[in-house]
């Protein structure tokens, strides 16, 4: 249960120092054993022959380097018997060896420490045959004093890593179990006269614009230098000067140094204050709105061994998508990540390496956080997080951990953190009483509940004192909008609540990246793909990035929803209202551009003169010219920044002026019967079924009413949230096996009418569908009338028509929403314009295949071959939804991984009158009522034209 032995006290991490530093990363020798039984310590003795061992890379995980074992994914349950603190004999054990010489010029004056920044889950360490100690706390630093054991050449470092340990009970964190030395291993000189530790206090007073700097220095005395501010002060001395404050929007850092007789340490000082005042989280005196994400450390090839370039890439992507905050779920990240947050500007909730979720199924019996025997380990984890990360201005909130239930251990952690660092806030979500924290935090509340909380009218606690305390707190959603597969839906509605109610200070989408591991057969693997006995499937793929770090449609939507500048049309005024939603920054860093299109064709563009707006201010700005069509105004970066180049689009808005053009009805042609066929204008139909078989020279296949989609992860819903699991309800109703019966084919004077009944095999409710075809000489019109029959207890997945074209018709062009997919509750980022791409490019490669690729608000769409021949479809009076793919919805539904989808001889096209929304039911709220597609009578129409 204990945290380990032999190590030194935790201290701050820093990257810049004139003391010696030697990385021990690189190639290590490695041996894997199925368990610790029978293993002796001979491998750690001088002269041990390891010539037959494998070689692996550190940092890394042996299960991802072909060295034995396999990854395993569980969300809640432990993958071993729950018998704390014991673990099974089947405990893969990796022995690691590294030989090294000391760098030339190391003085030998003072101490040297050996530092491990991350090892899962338990390690014993030897140097030159001497055991240094052992440690737990996989994602936390551990150091050993080793100066007296080092020699100039031929040093041998031996590390035995156990996959399971008592510490594993504290690390049940909804991620892959990946053993190994996955962060840096470093030797650090600690010269005589160097600090043992230091603590930078840099507060900001928003009332007078002053900053107060004080650097506590333990184990040495020295001076603090900040040349830009003219500061030259003794350690421990407070200095107050005028400063520019640090915020996530304006991450102002001052370079400085801590100078002692033994070491010069580089400082990057950011002045800021954080407090709860008037029931709100305030930084530098102002309410902040968190536009956040949860971030696990992950790389599809190296697991949690994430290099510096990937960390920076993550943060640049966040900044480019208007994200301003990160919760480091569910452990402190690599320390270099926080340096980047300081530099680029993000608010950080730094979360302790603690989760005991597997005790939930046991009604929390035996939960370590409520067992005093575990408290030393909990306090050790809290201390290692706080001491390591205390000098980062980006870190404004400490989080005790995640999904641990409640218990005395959490209170002990909170008390220790407050005593050590009263200048930050304390967070924990899992205790409804909020007795140990400074803010009320929740996961996945519904929109309705968020509104009640915003009004401070939520369901009361039984304890009136606790209720009053919680009701006075600011509210934060540490997890919301579960980004699993297609979705999440409902982001816009949440954001409106955040902006309406001051108490609701935003939240953190779950999560940043899909954890799909690179796999030779599956493309990206998820739970169960490595033969795990227990696993939670693709629940590990719930991010705003695909595993290769390509932004998903969910991230594009989130960027639009949380954009810090609002650009909205004013009805009938030829103007837009531009509102500054930044918390601290004005709009001087932005330029505003306009463009005008008519039917998607450019008609003008230029710059828009917008006055500089202070935070919270707005202005009404006239558009530069009159005219019908689409007006788009964009706020773009006026100059290059550390995360985006000049011209990068931060925010945009569109306005529609003038009436939409409705195509003339195609009438006048008469149906003509031939040998087994009926001809109507450019359309040719099967005389028996009434189905179209050709439009001009283009073959058509299987045009019929379609109500099915391959259920999304959000359609399927979470197993522990049984209501609104629409995927299962749709299958129960038989919507995946609808059968079509033709009741009549009626060729009249001016139309061909085909009457059908559509119902599932096995019985159930039905739909009566009538197809009314009309034509002129060149165009073919279709009006579909649908009437439900029987009792429908479930909404429809979609309502529209589906048909097939030959595979060569694979070039898509449309006027409508784009460039990416959109659904009724995920359409904020859909830009009205003319778009073109291949059918293959229209697909969204969710790790588990599911419904994807719809385009919203489409006025017309074309599919053509290489010679320009093809089909054009126009909405007859109303926009429609457009989807095209090389497989059917049934084939998409049957696939477990993207490589299982095989292009056939047909391009399948869906033109939909309506779609069911997406929601966030894979872990959060379902589809909002306004986005449910209830079965009711409907009529919709299209006009088809052959091309080429």
């Amino acid at each position: 249960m204990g945290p380990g032995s032999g190590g030194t006290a935790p201290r701050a991490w820093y990257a810049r120092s004139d003391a010696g530093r030697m990385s021990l990363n690189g190639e290590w020798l490695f041996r894997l054993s199925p368990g610790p039984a029978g293993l002796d310590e001979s491998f750690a003795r001088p002269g041990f022959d390891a010539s037959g061992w494998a070689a692996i890379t550190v940092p890394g995980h042996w299960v991802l380097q072909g060295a034995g074992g396999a990854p395993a994914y569980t969300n809640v349950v432990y993958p071993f018997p729950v018998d704390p603190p014991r673990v099974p004999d089947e405990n893969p054990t990796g022995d690691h060896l590294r030989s090294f010489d000391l760098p030339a010029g190391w003085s030998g004056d003072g101490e040297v420490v050996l530092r491990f920044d991350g090892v899962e889950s338990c390690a014993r360490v030897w140097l030159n045959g001497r055991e240094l100690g052992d440690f737990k706390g996989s994602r936390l630093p551990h150091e050993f004093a080793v100066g007296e054991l080092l020699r100039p050449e031929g040093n041998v470092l031996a590390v035995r890593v156990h996959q399971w340990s008592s510490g594993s009970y504290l690390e049940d964190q909804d991620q892959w179990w990946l053993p190994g030395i996955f962060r840096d291993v470093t030797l650090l000189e600690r010269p005589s006269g160097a600090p043992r530790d230091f603590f930078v206090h840099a507060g900001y007073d928003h009332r007078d614009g002053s900053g107060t700097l004080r650097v506590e220095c333990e184990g040495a005395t020295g001076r603090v230098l900040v040349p830009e501010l003219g500061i030259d002060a003794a350690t421990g001395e407070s200095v107050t000067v005028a400063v520019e404050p640090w915020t996530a929007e304006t991450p102002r850092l001052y370079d400085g140094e801590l100078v002692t007789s033994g070491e010069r340490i580089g400082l990057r000082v950011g002045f800021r204050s954080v407090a709860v005042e008037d029931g709100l989280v305030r930084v530098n005196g102002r309410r902040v709105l968190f536009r956040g994400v949860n971030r696990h450390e992950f790389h599809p090839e190296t697991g949690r061994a994430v290099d510096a370039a990937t960390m920076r890439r993550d943060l640049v992507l966040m900044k480019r998508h208007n994200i301003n905050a990160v919760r480091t779920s569910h452990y402190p990240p690599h320390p270099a990540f926080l340096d980047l947050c300081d530099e680029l500007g993000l608010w950080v909730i730094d979360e302790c390496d603690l989760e005991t979720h597997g005790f939930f199924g046991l009604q929390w019996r035996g939960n370590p956080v409520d067992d005093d025997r575990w408290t030393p380990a909990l306090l050790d984890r809290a201390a290692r997080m706080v001491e390591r990360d205390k000098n980062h201005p980006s870190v404004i909130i400490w989080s005790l951990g995640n999904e641990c239930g409640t218990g005395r251990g959490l209170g002990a952690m909170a008390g220790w953190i407050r005593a050590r660092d009263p200048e930050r806030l304390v967070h924990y979500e899992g205790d409804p009483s909020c007795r140990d924290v400074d803010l009320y935090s929740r996961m996945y509340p519904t929109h309705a509940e968020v509104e009640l909380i915003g009004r401070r009218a939520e369901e009361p606690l039984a304890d009136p004192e606790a209720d009053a305390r919680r009701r006075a707190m600011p509210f934060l959603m540490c997890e919301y909008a579960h980004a699993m597969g297609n979705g999440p839906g409902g982001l816009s509605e949440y954001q409106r609540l955040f902006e309406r109610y001051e108490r609701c200070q935003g939240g953190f989408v779950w999560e940043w990246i899909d954890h799909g591991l690179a796999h030779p057969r599956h493309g990206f693997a998820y739970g169960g793909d490595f033969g795990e006995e227990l696993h939670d499937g693709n629940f590990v793929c719930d991010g705003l990035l695909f595993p290769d770090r390509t932004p998903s449609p969910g991230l594009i939507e989130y960027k639009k929803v949380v954009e810090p500048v609002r650009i909205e049309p004013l009805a009938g005024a030829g103007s837009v209202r531009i509102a500054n939603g930044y918390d601290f920054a004005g709009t001087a860093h932005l330029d505003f551009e306009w463009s005008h299109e008519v039917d998607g064709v450019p008609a003008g563009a230029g710059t828009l003169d917008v006055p500089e707006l202070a935070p919270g201010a707005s202005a009404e700005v006239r558009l530069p010219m009159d005219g019908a069509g689409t007006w788009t105004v964009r706020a773009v970066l006026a100059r290059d920044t550390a995360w985006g180049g000049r011209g990068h689009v931060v925010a945009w808005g569109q306005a529609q002026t003038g009436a939409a053009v409705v195509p003339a009805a195609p009438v006048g042609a008469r149906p003509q019967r031939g040998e087994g066929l009926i001809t109507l204008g450019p359309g040719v139909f099967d005389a028996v079924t009434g189905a179209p078989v050709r439009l001009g020279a283009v073959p058509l296949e299987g045009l019929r009413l379609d109500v099915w989609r391959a259920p999304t992860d959000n359609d399927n819903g979470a197993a522990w949230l049984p209501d609104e699991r629409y995927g299962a309800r749709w299958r129960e109703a038989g919507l995946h096996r609808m059968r079509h019966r033709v009741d009549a084919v009626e060729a009249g004077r001016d139309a061909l009418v085909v009457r059908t009944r559509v119902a599932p095999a096995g019985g159930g409710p039905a739909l009566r569908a009538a197809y009314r075809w009309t034509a002129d000489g060149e165009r073919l019109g279709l009006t579909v009338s649908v009437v439900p029959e029987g009792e429908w207890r479930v909404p429809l997945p979609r309502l529209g028509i589906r048909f097939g074209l030959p595979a060569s018709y694979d070039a898509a062009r449309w006027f409508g929403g784009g460039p990416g997919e959109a659904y009724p509750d995920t359409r904020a980022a859909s830009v009205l314009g003319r778009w073109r791409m291949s059918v293959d490019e229209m697909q969204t490669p969710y790790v588990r295949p599911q419904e994807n690729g719809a385009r919203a608000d489409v006025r017309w769409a074309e599919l053509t071959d290489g010679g320009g021949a093809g089909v054009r479809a126009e909405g007859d009076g109303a926009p429609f939804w457009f989807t095209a793919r090389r497989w059917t919805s049934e084939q998409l539904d049957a696939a477990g991984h993207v490589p299982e989808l095989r292009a056939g001889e047909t391009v399948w096209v869906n033109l939909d009158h309506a779609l069911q929304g997406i929601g966030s039911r894979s872990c959060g709220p379902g589809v909002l009522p306004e986005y449910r597609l209830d079965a009711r009578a409907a009529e919709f129409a299209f006009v088809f034209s052959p091309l080429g």
Side-chain angles (χ1 to χ4, degrees), residues 424-446:
R424 290 181 173 94
L425 307 180
V426 175
H427 166 273
Y428 177 66
E429 177 272 339
D431 184 353
S433 75
C434 298
R435 62 187 175 191
D436 297 317
V437 298
D438 297 305
L439 58 160
Y440 178 26
S441 178
R442 288 283 303 280
M443 293 181 182
Y444 309 105
T446 65

Side-chain angles (χ1 to χ4, degrees), residues 40 52 75 106 140 262 277 293 390 486 507 517 519 527 550 567 611 623 625 666 708 741 784 819 827 875 927 942 947:
D40 59 28
N75 171 28
W106 272 38
L140 293 162
E277 297 173 349
V293 292
K390 59 183 177 280
N486 188 335
L517 288 168
H519 192 281
T550 301
I567 304 170
L623 293 171
M625 54 191 291
W708 179 243
R741 186 187 72 213
V784 183
R827 65 194 298 175
V927 178
F942 304 99
L947 300 173

Side-chain angles (χ1 to χ4, degrees), residues 589-866:
H589 67 294
L590 300 174
D591 287 334
F592 291 84
E593 303 173 346
W594 65 270
S595 61
H596 180 216
E597 296 179 343
V598 178
D599 193 28
V601 178
T607 58
L608 198 63
D609 187 15
V610 178
E612 183 178 348
L613 300 172
S618 63
E620 182 178 325
V621 181
R622 290 284 302 175
L623 293 171
M625 54 191 291
D626 295 325
T630 306
W631 294 88
T632 306
V633 176
R634 299 176 178 85
V636 303
L637 290 179
R639 62 192 68 88
D640 292 345
T641 70
W643 51 266
R646 181 185 178 198
H648 167 79
V649 177
V650 172
W652 59 271
Q654 282 191 318
Q656 287 292 113
T657 57
V661 177
V662 178
V667 294
R670 294 186 175 186
Q672 302 292 325
R673 285 190 176 271
E675 205 172 299
L677 298 172
I678 298 174
T679 301
L680 178 62
V684 179
F685 299 79
D686 184 288
V688 176
T689 65
V693 295
R694 196 166 67 247
L695 179 67
V698 180
L700 297 179
E701 176 184 349
L703 191 149
R704 57 175 53 175
L705 187 74
D706 191 20
V707 298
W708 179 243
R709 75 184 186 198
T712 68
D713 291 314
N714 285 303
D715 291 335
N716 287 331
W720 59 90
L721 299 169
D723 61 317
E724 297 189 44
R725 297 188 68 197
Y726 289 122
R729 293 179 63 194
W730 288 337
R731 293 184 198 279
E732 183 181 352
L735 301 191
H736 60 310
R737 55 176 189 269
M738 300 296 275
R739 300 293 182 261
H740 298 251
R741 186 187 72 213
V742 176
D743 289 339
V745 178
E746 303 167 353
R749 282 180 51 84
D750 57 356
L752 173 66
V753 178
V754 181
R755 305 187 188 280
T756 69
R757 184 177 188 271
V758 184
L767 297 168
R768 291 283 184 178
Y771 308 84
R772 186 174 189 275
W773 297 94
T774 62
D776 56 21
E778 299 178 348
R779 300 176 305 141
L780 185 65
L782 169 63
T783 300
V784 183
S785 301
V786 181
V787 178
E789 184 179 278
E791 185 177 4
W792 282 85
R793 298 181 179 179
V794 63
L796 298 172
R798 69 180 346 123
L799 182 65
I801 59 170
R802 178 175 78 175
F803 60 90
L805 298 171
S808 58
Y809 295 89
D810 61 355
R813 182 171 170 262
W814 72 95
F815 174 41
E821 73 180 25
Y823 288 80
D825 53 351
T826 66
R827 65 194 298 175
S830 184
V831 182
L832 184 64
R834 287 198 185 203
W835 308 101
R836 66 169 68 234
M837 62 184 66
S838 70
V839 166
D840 294 334
E841 290 170 329
M842 292 181 70
Q843 313 311 304
T844 304
Y846 294 112
V847 175
R848 185 194 72 80
Q850 55 198 271
E851 167 65 32
N852 72 89
R855 269 59 180 183
D857 299 314
V858 177
R859 277 63 167 171
W860 53 259
E862 298 175 350
L863 284 161
T864 57
D865 62 13

Side-chain angles (χ1 to χ4, degrees), residues 130-284:
R130 177 89 64 86
E131 183 169 0
L132 303 178
D134 63 274
F135 61 86
K136 301 160 194 166
S138 297
R139 285 152 281 276
L140 293 162
H142 300 271
E143 291 184 339
F144 297 94
V146 298
E148 65 177 11
L149 300 178
L150 290 169
R151 45 188 182 237
E153 297 179 344
N155 297 283
V156 178
L157 177 60
V159 184
R160 173 164 287 169
V161 178
H162 301 291
Q163 177 156 6
W164 312 121
S165 69
S166 63
S168 301
Y169 286 99
L170 306 179
E171 296 172 4
D172 188 25
Q173 293 152 322
D174 185 11
Q175 60 179 331
W176 292 101
W177 298 90
L178 297 171
I181 305 172
F182 66 93
R183 287 185 186 158
D184 305 292
V185 183
T186 315
L187 278 178
L188 299 165
E189 273 195 314
R190 307 304 306 133
S192 298
R196 197 210 71 79
D197 194 15
F198 64 97
F199 194 163
V200 177
H201 301 269
Y204 179 72
D205 189 333
H206 65 277
R207 294 165 297 185
D208 62 11
S210 66
T212 299
L213 178 64
R214 177 173 58 89
V215 178
E216 297 175 2
C217 190
E218 180 185 340
T221 59
R223 301 199 68 79
V224 178
L225 311 177
V226 186
E228 189 176 355
L229 295 175
I231 293 177
D232 182 350
T235 52
E237 178 184 347
S238 293
V239 180
T240 300
V241 294
V243 299
E244 298 173 47
W246 187 97
T247 75
E249 296 166 7
T250 55
R252 182 67 160 93
L253 294 171
Y254 292 90
D255 283 331
E257 277 191 309
L258 169 59
V259 181
T260 68
S261 62
E263 186 179 18
R264 300 178 74 99
I265 297 171
L267 306 177
R268 295 198 304 175
V269 181
F271 293 88
R272 57 107 187 94
S273 63
V274 56
V276 172
E277 297 173 349
D278 304 319
L280 301 175
V281 176
R282 296 185 186 274
V283 177
N284 303 337

